[in-house]
Amino acid sequence: GKQLVGFAYIVPDGRSIADMRIKALDSIFNTLPEMKENVEMIHYQELVPEKACWSLNSGFGNVQTPIENFYCVGSDSEKRSMGLTRSAYSVLRCLEIMKSV
């Protein structure tokens, strides 16, 4: 029943990571205020994407979230297929859900 939602930001040259963390979290909660009451954990991770290894043996989230009118799409929100096709299936599932409400 719980979901992991990730947000990615680029830290501009000259800006501290600590300042960027504050700005990023503020922008998320200002855009989706309902999310603040549903957060159970916040984790920050700085990485170089082309050198990253995300995780192994992890489960999948879901396109539909507990927050009204907020959906997640991408390769981690759909179990069918793999890679780009998996992401595309998640978008199709999202459209199905949005059409049904």
Side-chain angles (χ1 to χ4, degrees):
K2 300 183 191 273
Q3 296 182 344
L4 171 67
V5 178
F7 296 89
Y9 291 84
I10 295 172
V11 180
D13 288 336
R15 180 160 233 168
S16 77
I17 291 175
D19 287 343
M20 199 60 206
R21 286 180 175 184
I22 293 167
K23 183 176 178 162
L25 199 57
D26 285 346
S27 70
I28 293 165
F29 291 153
N30 285 332
T31 305
L32 297 162
E34 308 87 22
M35 186 172 282
K36 193 171 191 171
E37 64 194 44
N38 289 285
V39 171
E40 292 189 16
M41 181 188 87
I42 296 174
H43 169 74
Y44 296 101
Q45 182 173 348
E46 295 87 38
L47 59 111
V48 179
E50 59 271 13
K51 295 181 180 177
C53 177
W54 291 92
S55 64
L56 299 172
N57 299 322
S58 56
F60 288 88
N62 197 342
V63 171
Q64 200 162 16
T65 72
I67 300 170
E68 185 178 353
N69 297 321
F70 182 69
Y71 304 93
C72 292
V73 295
S75 62
D76 294 333
S77 57
E78 175 62 49
K79 295 179 185 177
R80 291 184 289 176
S81 193
M82 62 184 143
L84 187 59
T85 307
R86 182 183 292 168
S87 296
Y89 276 130
S90 74
V91 172
L92 292 175
R93 177 72 184 126
C94 182
L95 292 172
E96 288 173 12
I97 293 168
M98 294 170 82
K99 287 178 183 178
S100 71
V101 286

